[in-house]
């Protein structure tokens, strides 16, 4: 499917998640955002979040 953006990865701050999806929607042509972000406790190991199209 075209113009679909998938958010993937892990984060520590809810604020990061709140900022990610609106940032993607601000890109011209995006028709759908699939949010697969995971959030862990602050002291857990994590993988940086990524955006794929």
């Amino acid at each position: 499917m075209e113009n679909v953006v998938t958010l993937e990865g892990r984060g520590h701050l809810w604020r990061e998640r709140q900022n990610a999806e609106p940032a993607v929607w601000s890109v011209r042509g995006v028709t759908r955002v699939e949010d697969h972000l995971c959030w862990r406790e602050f002291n857990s190991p994590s993988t940086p979040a990524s955006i794929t199209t």
Side-chain angles (χ1 to χ4, degrees):
M1 190 173 260
E2 293 184 35
N3 303 326
V4 176
V5 176
T6 303
L7 298 172
E8 296 179 338
R10 295 185 175 125
H12 296 296
L13 301 175
W14 183 252
R15 174 178 62 228
E16 293 171 343
R17 183 179 199 143
Q18 289 177 310
N19 292 335
E21 194 167 333
V24 172
W25 279 114
S26 71
V27 177
R28 186 178 184 180
V30 171
T31 59
R32 189 172 84 203
V33 176
E34 294 184 6
D35 186 347
H36 297 270
L37 296 173
C38 297
W39 303 95
R40 304 186 104 184
E41 291 184 29
F42 210 82
N43 59 356
S44 298
S46 68
T47 302
S50 66
I51 299 173
T52 58
T53 57

